[in-house]
Amino acid sequence: MTSMSRARVARRIAAGAAYGGGGIGVAGAAAVGLLLAEVQLARRRVGIGTPDRVPNAQGLYGGTLTAAGDAPLRLVMLGDSTAAGQGVHRAGQTPGALLASGLAAVAERPVELTSVAVPGARSDDLDRQVSLVLADPGRTPDICVVMVGANDVTHRMPATRSVRHLSTAVRRLRTAGAEVVVGTCPDLGTIEPVPQPLRWLARRTSRQLAAAQTIGVVEQGGRTVSLGDLLGPEFAENPRELFGPDNYHPSAEGYATAAMAVLPSVCAALGLWPAEEERPDVARREGFLPVARAAAEAADEAGTEVAAAMPTGPRGPWALLKRRRRRRVSEAEPVTSAQPR
């Protein structure tokens, strides 16, 4: 699918999500029987070897950076197993811990990490998760990172419904005063055990959803980072290194790659990134585009950020497409004051 055609489909999905439309089909009826058979086969081949327990990474990071009058920044992770960090054994290897540690280093300020992400969650669980996050009006997060979408694809949730739930979640968080960065649906076509033609369909469907998610998120005041093939060509080239033992969830190296790509957008959302980095760099093919086109281009290139830029014009909302330089994130320091749920 070309970038322009993906932009058109993404716009239709986002419009359907906003106005209550139905799902958009991606496969003809003749292919359904074959695809269902392939799904059953794939389910038997992935998901084996995943640790049942997700490490508890919640707590305070960068505690030694405390300065007079500086309360810790509040970072909250929402979404599915990728946001929770399923597939690794140590808390410091989870994306939340890596982001909290990196953010503390950039801000030179402690970061309090909370997670409401749940393995297996779909976008329709975000309403419950956001309610947990906003339960105490006196503890509104400074920044929320959402990673969701893969389970929507594997459970065949209509894309319009998926985007509607995500857009609502972003709107609620932004209304409460939190910045929001969404890691869009990863490219499920990178999962090694999934055979063709399901693998091709998974790639097409997940990228289509990622583009539509971007439109919905940007229109609600958030920004997105394309997870794509889990943030970099490294996954396509080194799947055995960057996937975990179950060939589905990321390994520690995979989560570090993801955190490296998301961290610049988290810092930028909080006004912590250098001012010169906020200007589009033509050499990196950055610039202002209609939001649907920016969303389609981001879906095709992992690690690309899309954020609202200009008022709505004749071609709809505009967005700034950025390919930010990644900062390396080492395994997070130990939690200095755990706050288990």
Side-chain angles (χ1 to χ4, degrees):
M1 180 182 288
T2 67
S3 178
M4 291 304 294
S5 60
R6 181 172 289 118
R8 287 193 295 270
V9 172
R11 169 52 66 194
R12 290 203 303 271
I13 293 172
Y19 299 109
I24 295 180
V26 295
V32 171
L34 171 62
L35 292 174
L36 288 177
E38 298 284 15
V39 166
Q40 294 304 318
L41 177 62
R43 283 178 177 170
R44 290 197 295 269
R45 298 168 103 181
V46 300
I48 300 171
T50 306
D52 292 331
R53 184 185 65 86
V54 176
N56 180 8
Q58 297 185 120
L60 190 70
Y61 290 77
T64 58
L65 300 172
T66 302
D70 277 347
L73 290 168
R74 295 192 181 109
L75 165 65
V76 178
M77 302 294 294
L78 303 92
D80 56 21
S81 57
T82 305
Q86 186 172 13
V88 296
H89 295 277
R90 294 195 295 274
Q93 298 171 327
T94 63
L98 292 165
L99 286 171
S101 180
L103 178 58
V106 173
E108 298 183 341
R109 183 174 166 186
V111 173
E112 180 187 343
L113 172 66
T114 304
S115 177
V116 294
V118 179
R122 289 168 273 181
S123 294
D124 56 4
D125 190 52
L126 290 176
D127 181 63
R128 183 192 64 82
Q129 293 184 25
V130 171
S131 293
L132 288 174
V133 171
L134 301 181
D136 183 352
R139 291 181 54 81
T140 300
D142 295 287
I143 182 79
C144 294
V145 175
V146 185
M147 296 180 179
V148 74
N151 296 313
D152 297 18
V153 173
T154 58
H155 289 78
R156 294 181 290 169
M157 177 184 289
T160 48
R161 182 181 169 202
S162 175
V163 173
R164 187 180 306 124
H165 284 294
L166 176 59
S167 299
T168 299
V170 173
R171 181 171 64 251
R172 291 177 65 194
L173 292 169
R174 293 290 293 128
T175 300
E179 298 292 338
V180 181
V181 175
V182 174
T184 55
C185 182
D187 182 354
L188 299 181
T190 60
I191 300 173
E192 263 198 335
V194 176
Q196 298 290 9
L198 181 60
R199 193 167 178 176
W200 171 85
L201 180 62
R203 166 162 290 161
R204 182 172 182 262
T205 306
S206 52
R207 289 190 179 189
Q208 195 167 285
L209 176 58
Q213 286 178 317
T214 292
I215 296 173
V217 169
V218 169
E219 288 181 345
Q220 297 302 327
R223 64 182 74 201
T224 63
V225 178
S226 169
L227 293 187
D229 50 4
L230 281 175
L231 304 172
E234 298 95 337
F235 261 86
E237 296 170 3
N238 303 300
R240 297 190 183 282
E241 178 183 350
L242 292 176
F243 277 119
D246 62 354
N247 291 317
Y248 184 82
H249 293 95
S251 64
E253 292 82 3
Y255 279 129
T257 302
M260 238 187 345
V262 174
L263 177 62
S265 296
V266 168
C267 294
L270 292 170
L272 298 172
W273 216 236
E276 60 271 18
E277 279 287 314
E278 296 309 298
R279 292 189 290 270
D281 186 339
V282 177
R284 295 208 298 263
R285 295 177 293 113
E286 298 177 345
F288 299 100
L289 297 168
V291 65
R293 184 177 162 195
E297 290 199 13
D300 285 336
E301 183 173 348
T304 305
E305 177 192 299
V306 180
M310 296 180 181
T312 300
R315 300 176 65 185
W318 282 65
L320 174 59
L321 185 143
K322 294 281 295 177
R323 295 174 172 88
R324 295 187 182 277
R325 294 186 178 92
R326 303 179 190 179
R327 291 198 175 184
R328 184 162 296 281
V329 183
S330 59
E331 185 171 330
E333 63 183 69
V335 178
T336 57
S337 59
Q339 301 173 351
R341 286 187 178 273

